[in-house]
């Protein structure tokens, strides 16, 4: 039999946009790597000089950046805040999403609670900043604990929406069967629903971790004066009123990128499943 050749057609507008997007992402990453390995004497004001490769590849900038930022202590604070926030978000927001999502159809009160919590997404942090600074100081939680508590509250609207949408795809028949077998609501959630929501847990974990890891403003206004710095706070040392040490700054940025990038790569298989299943009912 003669095989009919099908002419391949390319969607050039989309292809061009993808290429532009890849270049847009690759260019600043390339700049960060190149500048991080350069010596200050190799820095020039022209574009060609900035894009050129280092004459001598050296790790001296990374060593100095680690010293200036007190890297290991700052890394420990960032890990403590991020990991604790992620764990609390998965536990608390997952339970809240289950309680509200399963009760909205039968209760107007839970509809109001859901809309009230989600409305927090539209309140700018700048409006809340000064009241939160005063309240945390008065309550004696102007420290890492206060930052973790605030993060858990800040990320609740988005995470609640994700969990509620994901639970809409899980048949209620599973819970009904568990109740027939004598399982309580608490045991049904932890034994049946919680494992099923693994893709959404990964999605919530990555979104929460990235936002927490990269945030500067909340630790800056809450933890100011405590002597405890997260990595983003410590990296402010490279910026002074007289200029910015770009070589050390970019070296420090690359060091801070490694942990969150590894975490994303570990969870990426679950992320797409969580996003797709949580967005489609």
């Amino acid at each position: 039999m003669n095989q009919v050749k099908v002419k391949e057609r390319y969607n050039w507008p989309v292809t061009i946009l993808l290429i532009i997007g890849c270049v847009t992402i690759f260019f600043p990453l390339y700049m960060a790597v190149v500048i991080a390995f350069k010596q200050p004497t190799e820095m020039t004001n022209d574009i060609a000089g900035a894009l050129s490769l280092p004459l001598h590849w050296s790790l001296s900038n990374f060593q100095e950046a680690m010293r200036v930022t007190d890297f290991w202590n700052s890394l420990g604070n960032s890990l403590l805040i991020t990991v604790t926030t992620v764990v609390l978000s998965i536990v608390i927001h997952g339970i809240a999403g289950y309680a509200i999502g399963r009760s909205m159809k039968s209760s107007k009160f839970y509809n109001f609670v859901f809309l009230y919590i989600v409305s927090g997404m539209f309140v700018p942090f700048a409006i809340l900043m000064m009241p939160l600074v005063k309240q945390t100081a008065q309550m004696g939680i102007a420290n890492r604990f206060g930052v973790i508590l605030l993060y858990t509250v800040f990320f609740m609207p988005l995470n609640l929406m994700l969990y509620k949408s994901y639970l809409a795809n899980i048949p209620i028949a599973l819970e009904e069967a568990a109740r027939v077998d004598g399982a309580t609501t608490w045991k049904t959630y932890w034994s049946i629903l919680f494992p099923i929501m693994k893709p959404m847990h990964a999605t919530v974990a990555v979104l929460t971790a990235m936002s927490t890891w990269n945030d500067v403003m909340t630790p800056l206004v809450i933890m100011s004066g405590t002597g405890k710095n997260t990595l983003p706070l410590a990296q402010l040392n490279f910026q002074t009123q007289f200029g910015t040490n770009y070589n050390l700054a970019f070296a420090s940025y690359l060091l801070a990128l490694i942990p969150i990038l590894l975490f994303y790569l570990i969870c990426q298989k679950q992320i797409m499943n969580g996003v797709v299943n949580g967005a489609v009912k």
Side-chain angles (χ1 to χ4, degrees):
M1 295 179 62
N2 294 329
Q3 294 182 351
V4 179
K5 293 184 178 180
V6 180
K7 185 179 180 180
E8 296 183 358
R9 299 181 61 182
Y10 296 95
N11 192 332
W12 287 110
V14 175
T15 303
I16 294 173
L17 288 176
L18 289 175
I19 294 175
I20 295 175
C22 291
V23 173
T24 303
I25 296 173
F26 174 77
F27 181 74
L29 182 60
Y30 170 80
M31 289 284 293
V33 173
V34 168
I35 294 176
F37 283 94
K38 282 185 175 181
Q39 297 301 315
T41 54
E42 300 179 51
M43 297 293 294
T44 58
N45 294 326
D46 59 288
I47 298 297
L51 294 176
S52 62
L53 295 175
L55 298 177
H56 303 285
W57 294 82
S58 174
L59 296 176
S60 59
N61 288 331
F62 293 89
Q63 296 172 350
E64 182 64 15
M66 293 177 68
R67 186 191 65 81
V68 173
T69 59
D70 193 9
F71 180 77
W72 295 113
N73 286 331
S74 301
L75 177 65
N77 290 327
S78 289
L79 285 175
L80 174 64
I81 293 173
T82 301
V83 172
T84 307
T85 301
V86 168
V87 173
L88 290 177
S89 296
I90 292 175
V91 174
I92 297 175
H93 302 164
I95 295 175
Y98 170 66
I100 294 175
R102 287 296 194 245
S103 305
M104 286 182 63
K105 294 182 179 180
S106 59
S107 174
K108 292 183 178 179
F109 171 75
Y110 283 98
N111 276 280
F112 170 77
V113 171
F114 175 73
L115 294 176
Y116 176 77
I117 294 176
V118 171
S119 66
M121 297 175 61
F122 306 101
V123 181
F125 178 75
I127 296 177
L128 304 173
M129 183 170 62
M130 293 311 297
L132 287 175
V133 171
K134 187 172 181 61
Q135 289 177 1
T136 52
Q138 291 178 339
M139 297 172 64
I141 56 173
N143 47 36
R144 290 175 294 187
F145 173 77
V147 172
I148 293 171
L149 182 63
L150 290 176
Y151 280 144
T152 305
V153 175
F154 290 160
F155 300 135
M156 189 172 188
L158 176 60
N159 294 343
L160 182 64
M161 288 182 61
L162 292 174
Y163 276 119
K164 172 189 169 294
S165 299
Y166 191 86
L167 282 165
N169 299 309
I170 301 177
I172 301 181
L174 292 174
E175 301 168 52
E176 294 174 346
R179 291 193 184 96
V180 171
D181 293 336
T184 62
T185 302
W186 186 255
K187 186 174 182 180
T188 299
Y189 174 77
W190 287 110
S191 301
I192 299 176
L193 296 179
F194 190 82
I196 293 177
M197 293 192 297
K198 183 179 177 181
M200 185 50 65
H201 294 328
T203 303
V204 168
V206 170
L207 294 177
T208 303
M210 291 180 66
S211 300
T212 304
W213 187 266
N214 296 319
D215 184 44
V216 177
M217 190 57 66
T218 304
L220 179 63
V221 298
I222 301 299
M223 296 171 53
S224 178
T226 62
K228 302 290 185 181
N229 285 334
T230 60
L231 277 176
L233 279 183
Q235 288 167 350
L236 294 178
N237 292 328
F238 302 119
Q239 300 176 358
T240 66
Q241 61 178 333
F242 302 107
T244 302
N245 190 328
Y246 290 103
N247 303 96
L248 298 185
F250 281 114
S252 180
Y253 298 155
L254 292 178
L255 289 172
L257 176 65
I258 294 174
I260 198 66
L261 180 61
L262 292 176
F263 180 66
Y264 175 80
L265 292 176
I266 293 172
C267 299
Q268 66 173 339
K269 292 182 179 179
Q270 300 291 337
I271 293 173
M272 290 308 300
N273 292 331
V275 172
V276 172
N277 293 333
V280 180
K281 182 176 180 180

